Amino acid sequence: MSRLALEPLAAACAAHLAATMDGDAAHDLAHVRRVVASAVRLAREEGADLDVVLPAAWLHDGVTVPKDSPDRARASGLAARAAVAWLQARGFPDAKLDAVAHAIEAHSFSAGIAPRTPEARVVQDADRLDALGAIGIARCYATAGAMGSALVHPDDPVPAVDDDFQPLARALDDRRYATDHFFAKLFRLPATMQTEAGRREAKRRVAFMQGFLAQLQSETAPPEASGE
C-alpha cells in the first residue's frame, strides 16, 4: 500500500476505535496513538513493512479484556480476529492479513507468543515501550486505581530487590501494591525487547523510572525508630 493509502486507513482505524473502544485510562485511544507513533519510528529504523505495522498497531487493542480477567491471555487473539474481519470488509489486501493478525496476537505480554516477523517484533516493542517511562508510571497507577490497589506497601514502599528483581525483604504483590509492579514486570521489559531501537528506548525510559522511585522512596519511607 502507498503512503496515501495508509493515511485514510489510519483515519478509519481511529474513527472505528473511538466508536467501539471500552478500555480503561491505560488502554484507551490515546494509548493506541502512542503505540502507533512508536511503531512507525521503530519500523523505519528496523526496515519493517508499514503496510503491516500500521494497521496492527492501530488495532492491537481492538477487543478489551480486563487486566484481572481469567480470559486476559485471549485478548490479543480476539483482537487479531476482529481486526482481520474489519480490514477484510474494507478491502485490505488479503496477502497481508495473516501478517497483521500475527503482529496483533504476538504483541501481548499475557499471551506469551513469540513474534516471528520484523513487523510483529516492532508492534510488540512499541506496545511495551508504552508501559515504561513517564507514561508507563502514569498508566501503572491508573490501572492500580481501577483495580483498587494501594499505591505502595505501607511499611516498604519501594521494595529492595537483587539484580534479577527478586525481592530481598518481602514477597512482591503487584495486585495489592501498585509500585511492586515496577519490579514484578515493568523493569523486566527491556530484556524482552525484540529490536535494537526498542532496547535503547526501553533503557532510557527505565532510567527515568528509577529516578522516580528514588524520589518516591524519599517521600514515603516510614520514619526510623528514634531509639528512645
Side-chain angles (χ1 to χ4, degrees):
M1 296 178 72
S2 69
R3 179 176 178 180
L4 290 178
L6 286 172
E7 289 177 354
L9 176 63
C13 287
H16 169 64
L17 293 175
T20 60
M21 282 193 84
D22 188 26
D24 57 50
H27 300 87
D28 58 6
L29 184 55
H31 160 69
V32 173
R33 291 185 184 279
R34 291 190 301 270
V35 171
V36 169
S38 291
V40 169
R41 288 194 296 270
L42 295 178
R44 287 171 176 159
E45 287 203 47
E46 300 292 329
D49 184 356
L50 278 173
D51 290 354
V52 173
V53 167
L54 194 66
W58 271 111
L59 300 172
H60 78 280
D61 273 348
V63 173
T64 302
V65 177
K67 278 280 191 182
D68 55 354
S69 169
D71 291 329
R72 180 64 183 175
R74 299 179 58 233
S76 65
L78 296 172
R81 288 192 286 277
V84 166
W86 188 84
L87 290 167
Q88 280 181 317
R90 281 146 189 84
F92 188 83
D94 287 343
K96 299 199 174 187
L97 283 172
D98 285 347
V100 172
H102 172 62
I104 293 174
E105 195 164 15
H107 92 270
S108 169
F109 189 92
S110 301
I113 297 171
R116 301 188 304 269
T117 64
E119 294 72 33
R121 290 190 282 272
V122 161
V123 174
Q124 186 183 98
D125 279 10
D127 183 63
R128 294 184 183 187
L129 284 174
D130 208 53
L132 300 175
I135 195 63
I137 294 170
R139 292 179 70 221
C140 178
Y141 289 120
T143 299
M147 295 175 65
S149 304
L151 297 180
V152 295
H153 187 287
D155 302 315
D156 186 21
V158 181
V161 296
D162 63 18
D163 291 343
D164 294 320
F165 305 111
Q166 295 301 311
L168 298 175
R170 64 169 175 85
L172 298 174
D173 188 351
D174 59 347
R175 287 190 175 271
R176 293 185 65 190
Y177 309 113
T179 303
D180 284 17
H181 194 58
F182 286 53
F183 304 98
K185 178 183 177 182
L186 303 184
F187 285 167
R188 301 173 188 270
L189 292 180
T192 74
M193 291 291 164
Q194 300 289 318
T195 67
E196 181 58 35
R199 282 189 288 273
R200 288 197 308 269
E201 180 62 13
K203 289 178 181 178
R204 188 186 71 81
R205 294 190 184 202
V206 164
F208 175 87
M209 297 171 78
Q210 290 169 332
F212 167 81
L213 286 183
Q215 179 66 23
L216 182 68
Q217 177 72 29
S218 73
E219 295 178 8
T220 60
E224 295 183 4
S226 65
E228 296 180 0

